[in-house]
Structure formats: C-alpha cells, structure tokens
Amino acid sequence: MTNPGGFPARPTECDLVMQGGITSGVAYPAAVLELYKTFRFRSIGGASAGAMAAAVTAAAEYARDSGGFERLQVLRRQLQEPGLIVRQFRPTKQAKPLFRILLAAQAKRTTGAKAITYLWGLLRWLFLPLLLSAAVAFGLGWLLVASAGGTLGGIGWSGWAVFVVGILITGGLGLTLALAWSVVRLVRDLPKNYYGMCIGHKQRPRDPDALADWLYQQIQIVAGKDLADPLTFGDLNAKGVNLRLMTTDVTGGRPVRLPNESYSDVNYLFSLDEWRKLFPTEVLDHLDRISPVVYPGAGELRALPTDDLPVLVATRMSLTFPVLLSAVPLWTVDGKTVSRHWFADGGISSNFPIQFFDAWLPTRPTFGLYFGPKVPSAQGEQPPVDPERVEERPSLLSYLGGILSAGLNWHDTLQARLPGFSDRVRAIRLADGEGGFNLTMPPQTISSIDAKGAAAGRSLIDFDFQKHWVERYLIAMRMLQRNLVAPDDGHISMREAYTAEYHAWLASGEAVGPGHHEAWSAEAAAATAQLLDGADAWLRCGETFVDGTDPKPSVAMRITPDV
C-alpha cells in the first residue's frame, strides 16, 4: 500500500522481541500496552522472562477484539501486588534454607545487616545440629574434667576459660560438618528435583499455586480461554500471530527454537509421567489427547507437538532459570539409543533473539526491548563538549557476573548495535535493586520498572520506518555486491572463487554427477555468470554500493543456523 504521493504507507503491524532478565520482565506489559494502540503484533519472540512477556502478548493479540489487551492491563496492575513475584518461587524442603539466604543476598541492606541476616539464616538452617554440637561439646568437657577427678564447680576461672574454648571449638567443628552435610544433601537432591531449587509447579492439589500454575492461568485469562482448553501455537497461527520462543538443550549443547518445527534436525519426545511434576493437569490432559505414545518400549515416549503444543509448555521451557527452577526433560531416539536431554533457560544460548523475524528487507519493523547498556549514539554524531568521566569500579561479584554476562550475551549485545538494528532497539536501563534476581521488590520499585517500560514503548510509536527501510536496503545491497564481486576486506568474493575452470566443470554436469542433473548444471552455470556480471553493472552512474565508509560496527552476511 502506498500514500497518494507515491511513498509507502506507514506500517500498521510490527514484530516484537524481548530479552530475558528474571523479574526485569515486569517492564514489558507497560511497553506492549503502549505499542498495541498503534500496531498489531504479527510476530512475537523472546527468551527466559522475555518468553513470559511474549506469551501473554501473543495471548492478548489473539483476543484483541474481545478484550485481550484490557485483561493484560489487569495483569500489569497485578504484578505490582506486594509479594506476588516471590510467591511463585516455592523451594523444596531441602532448598528452602539456601533459598532464604539467596533472598537475603539481594536485599538492599548495609553490609552489617546482611551479615546478621546470613548468620540468622544459617542458625535457622542448622539449629538442631548446632544444639547437638553444643550438647556433645559440653558432655565431652564434663567427662574430661570428671575423669581427672574434678568437678565443674572447682576448676576455677582458668579452667572455665579452657572449658568454654573447648566447647566452642568442638561446637564449631560439629556445625561445620553439619553445614557440609546439609550442602551435600542439597546438591544430591537437586537431580531428583530436575536440577532446580524450585520445581515451579504445585506437587499436591492442596498446595498453593507455583509459577507454572499461575502463569498458565494468566495466559488463559488474557486469551479469554477456559482452563480446560489450553492456548496452543495453532490457535495463535489461526489468528495470524506468530510466537517463537528460545530454549536451550543443555545436553545437546545447542539453542532450540519453539515450537520445534520441521526445519529442525532433531525430533524431540517427552514422557507424560515425567512432566506431571512440572505442568498443570489441564495441560497434561491436552497432551494426552493429541500426542499418542510412539515409543511404548522406551518409557511411553510421545512426539513433541508443534501446532498443538500449549504455549505454557514452551514458555516454561524457555524460562528455566538454572538451579533456581527445575529443568524440563525431553528425549531423542537415535537408532536403538534413547537419550534424555535436559532443557534450561533460553537466555543461556540467546537471551535477545532479535534475529527470529529478520529479513534482508523488512515489510514492517521488528522492535527489540532489552536491559543491556544503552545503544551508542549514531555514527557521525558529535560527542558532548565537556563529557563527564565515570569510573566503573564494580565489586568482585559484579565483575565476575559481568564476565559471565559477556560470555553469554556478546552476540546479542553486538547485534543490538548494528546498523539497521540500533534504531529499532530500546534499552530499558534498570538501577541497582531493580529486576534481575530481586524477587522481593517492593511495589514502588516495580512501579519504577513499569514506568521505564512504558517510556520505551512510547519511544517506538513514531518510528521512522521509511528511513529504516532505506538503511536496511543499502546495507543489504552493499553486502550482496561485496560478497559477489568486490569484498575489499580480506575475504574472497564469489567472483574470485567461481573461476573459469569451475564454471566449465559445473556447466558440464560433472560437478553433480551423471543423470538428470546435466541440464540443471548448465542452466545454473549460465545463471551464475549472469548474476556476477549483473553485480558488476550495478550503479554505473559512477558509484557502487561498496564505495564509501563502512557503517560501524561493520557487518557481514554469512550462512548461519536458523535459530
């Protein structure tokens, strides 16, 4: 569609990709509720906490004409209720003491106050071992005094000093052994709980809801569907909504996009019995109906569905924060070998998968929301006259966390800075104590994050898509011409690799073997020569797409896996 003046009309649809960040995701509903007033969401993607936001956004778009976004507004307000977030994470009995200590670690307190909190947490964790250690130490001391023919009342001040020191040493050793044993038991039990402190689903009907139960209810409510009828990817597709979520096959060492469609080279299976520990009954009943057993002799394994996959399942697989939440088991069959694969957080492999919906030339904008550093100013923009010097001196833990983040997120961070990406990506800058593992954020903190999300959404409403399209066009043509005929960057162009000898070999049909390929080979050789000659002829007005200065950071066009 074009305007009367011949210019392309402003798009009324958009795609949206959201980064992971545990509780940072409370910023996303506000941003979505700003964008939906101007755009329809066609493709929505995310990883980890971004997957949660993507799922409820897709549910709202699915029910746009029946109050979906109005119900998302209700969820937005609900997220600001005191204690709501932390209630979704219910640790197992063995993990509860350590979980409490981790919650204390992220609280905003002085060093002294935190030390007292840690000590109190340890004492609560090890109260009985501490009591027993003190009793044993006292008994040993009494026996030692009695064996020497004395009494506790007659050992004097010096004797009491030695006696107390002995009790403290013995008690300390006992406490250390008890702590070590408790940690060993916790580590030993983690595999039984699918490697998580919190399973994420209530284990008994009378238990309070956990994360998967609460999230399933919210997805269904926003979509306007009954709990007994799970929202599936097929339901979304029928309404023109394309949802894609990222997870990580830890066992296979690879990212996996959900739903796991036919383009994947791995067919995953699942065990309904194993999943009873992780998902609500309504989801399991749906899977039992639509996914029959295909490997009865290997543990009643069923094929993982695609269109019929409940959105909740893919979302839970994407937000499996390592160690905090239990991993999700799937299976593969290779010949006679049946192997279990453990799936964890999508942020491990791609925390900001903005590549999900990209094309060489876009027909609508793909917006990105993330929590990384602010994207630098556009190339050629002048720096401030009197820049302020800011010296970052993080703590050791922050420094080590930065190393881990750089290792996991370097690709996503650089992608957000590329020409054609940086103009459509918005960083939501969070202060210390906002988002991340801060499960106990007070309502005013969540409200602050919500306001930042709303501001990010508003900043994208007047996005200049025509300018963006031209920039993407120039970059795409520059990369095409450079790779075909003029790399000028140390790489070999297709023209250099496609020599006269290879041209003759391909045209003869010998390159692809005898049979019906000869005609195809001759046509392919002629088409390749025509393509290269045509690339030479682009812009004969005196310039080529590869003239001038490259954008910074520089870009490359390569064949990569489609994940």
Side-chain angles (χ1 to χ4, degrees):
M1 178 182 292
T2 60
N3 290 323
F7 297 104
R10 189 172 185 269
T12 58
E13 299 177 331
C14 75
D15 302 334
L16 180 63
V17 177
M18 290 169 279
Q19 187 189 35
I22 311 183
T23 63
S24 306
V26 298
Y28 290 139
V32 168
L33 287 166
E34 293 292 338
L35 288 169
Y36 102 96
K37 303 168 188 174
T38 304
F39 299 98
R40 294 188 73 94
F41 296 104
R42 283 290 304 277
S43 295
I44 312 160
S48 192
M52 294 178 64
V56 295
T57 301
E61 187 61 65
Y62 168 83
R64 172 183 281 266
D65 300 328
S66 57
F69 285 100
E70 288 76 11
R71 292 189 288 273
L72 180 58
Q73 175 67 45
V74 174
L75 174 58
R76 175 190 180 185
R77 291 195 296 267
Q78 183 182 344
L79 289 171
Q80 300 185 34
E81 294 178 5
L84 173 72
I85 296 175
V86 73
R87 287 199 301 270
Q88 311 314 316
F89 296 86
R90 301 187 178 277
T92 62
K93 182 179 179 181
Q94 290 293 338
K96 188 175 293 185
L98 179 59
F99 185 76
R100 288 172 176 163
I101 292 174
L102 291 176
L103 290 182
Q106 48 93 6
K108 299 185 78 172
R109 298 190 182 100
T110 64
T111 302
K114 281 193 175 184
I116 293 173
T117 303
Y118 297 153
L119 181 60
W120 176 240
L122 285 172
L123 290 178
R124 289 180 63 185
W125 188 0
L126 303 170
F127 176 74
L128 285 178
L130 178 63
L131 192 63
L132 289 174
S133 297
V136 169
F138 184 86
L140 289 175
W142 180 81
L143 287 174
L144 185 63
V145 172
S147 65
T151 64
L152 291 178
I155 62 176
W157 287 107
S158 60
W160 271 107
V162 174
F163 185 74
V164 170
V165 170
I167 289 179
L168 291 175
I169 293 174
T170 306
L173 289 173
L175 192 61
T176 301
L177 291 174
L179 177 61
W181 174 241
S182 297
V183 172
V184 167
R185 288 182 61 196
L186 175 61
V187 172
R188 183 193 63 192
D189 289 342
L190 274 179
K192 298 178 184 177
N193 295 317
Y194 296 176
Y195 304 97
M197 291 192 293
C198 306
I199 295 174
H201 167 54
K202 61 182 180 182
Q203 299 303 291
R204 295 170 297 182
R206 65 176 180 272
D207 289 344
D209 286 344
L211 180 62
D213 313 296
W214 175 82
L215 180 59
Y216 178 62
Q217 293 168 18
Q218 301 311 313
I219 291 173
Q220 296 298 111
I221 290 171
V222 173
K225 290 176 67 72
D226 188 85
L227 287 179
D229 183 21
L231 179 69
T232 66
F233 284 87
D235 293 332
L236 297 176
N237 292 337
K239 290 290 187 74
V241 181
N242 176 33
L243 176 65
R244 293 294 179 267
L245 306 177
M246 183 67 77
T247 185
T248 302
D249 180 352
V250 175
T251 307
R254 57 187 290 168
V256 175
R257 185 169 64 190
L258 295 172
N260 191 44
E261 296 173 328
S262 57
Y263 55 75
S264 175
D265 62 330
V266 178
N267 295 318
Y268 291 104
L269 306 109
F270 70 98
S271 164
L272 202 64
D273 288 337
E274 287 183 330
W275 279 17
R276 295 189 192 283
K277 196 171 187 175
L278 299 171
F279 297 106
T281 301
E282 296 87 351
V283 172
L284 298 173
D285 290 344
H286 169 84
L287 291 170
D288 190 23
R289 289 193 301 270
I290 60 95
S291 189
V293 174
V294 292
Y295 286 98
E300 303 291 305
L301 297 182
R302 305 163 185 255
L304 185 71
T306 52
D307 282 354
D308 288 326
L309 182 69
V311 169
L312 183 276
V313 172
T315 309
R316 174 62 178 81
M317 289 177 66
S318 182
L319 57 83
T320 305
F321 316 124
V323 181
L324 179 60
L325 276 175
S326 295
V328 178
L330 290 177
W331 293 81
T332 62
V333 177
D334 184 8
K336 294 184 178 181
T337 303
V338 182
S339 304
R340 182 191 276 118
H341 286 234
W342 292 102
F343 279 73
D345 199 272
I348 297 172
S349 49
S350 182
N351 204 30
F352 187 39
I354 199 168
Q355 75 280 358
F356 268 172
F357 313 121
D358 261 352
W360 285 5
L361 275 182
T363 58
R364 58 182 179 267
T366 297
F367 296 131
L369 297 172
Y370 82 127
F371 302 103
K374 181 181 178 182
V375 176
S377 301
Q379 184 180 357
E381 215 171 279
Q382 294 299 317
V385 177
D386 295 312
E388 178 185 358
R389 176 172 174 171
V390 179
E391 286 198 37
E392 290 287 343
R393 193 180 294 273
S395 66
L396 178 60
L397 288 178
S398 296
Y399 176 70
L400 295 176
I403 292 174
L404 177 63
S405 177
L408 293 176
N409 300 322
W410 68 269
H411 183 272
D412 297 334
T413 300
L414 287 179
Q415 186 116 13
R417 296 180 58 182
L418 289 176
F421 287 82
S422 59
D423 59 337
R424 56 191 169 97
V425 169
R426 293 296 181 270
I428 303 173
R429 302 301 305 274
L430 302 182
D432 183 36
E434 293 182 341
F437 186 65
N438 294 284
L439 302 178
T440 56
M441 291 184 297
Q444 59 268 28
T445 301
I446 298 176
S447 179
S448 171
I449 299 174
D450 177 271
K452 293 177 180 180
R458 284 193 298 271
S459 71
L460 290 167
I461 290 174
D462 295 324
F463 180 72
D464 190 342
F465 181 73
Q466 293 178 354
K467 178 182 176 182
H468 171 76
W469 187 93
V470 171
E471 183 177 42
R472 293 288 295 274
Y473 168 77
L474 291 173
I475 290 173
M477 294 300 291
R478 186 182 187 87
M479 291 300 100
L480 277 172
Q481 192 174 37
R482 171 164 288 175
N483 281 278
L484 287 173
V485 297
D488 193 29
D489 58 359
H491 293 85
I492 297 176
S493 69
M494 188 171 179
R495 175 178 292 289
E496 291 174 293
Y498 189 74
T499 62
E501 290 81 2
Y502 277 106
H503 176 77
W505 183 46
L506 179 62
S508 70
E510 295 179 4
V512 292
H516 64 279
H517 293 296
E518 284 90 340
W520 172 87
S521 299
E523 291 179 7
T528 303
Q530 186 177 4
L531 173 67
L532 296 176
D533 290 341
D536 271 334
W538 289 346
L539 294 181
R540 288 200 178 277
C541 59
E543 295 182 1
T544 69
F545 288 107
V546 296
D547 286 337
T549 304
D550 272 351
K552 301 296 183 183
S554 60
V555 295
M557 184 181 289
R558 296 191 177 97
I559 297 174
T560 62
D562 183 17
V563 294

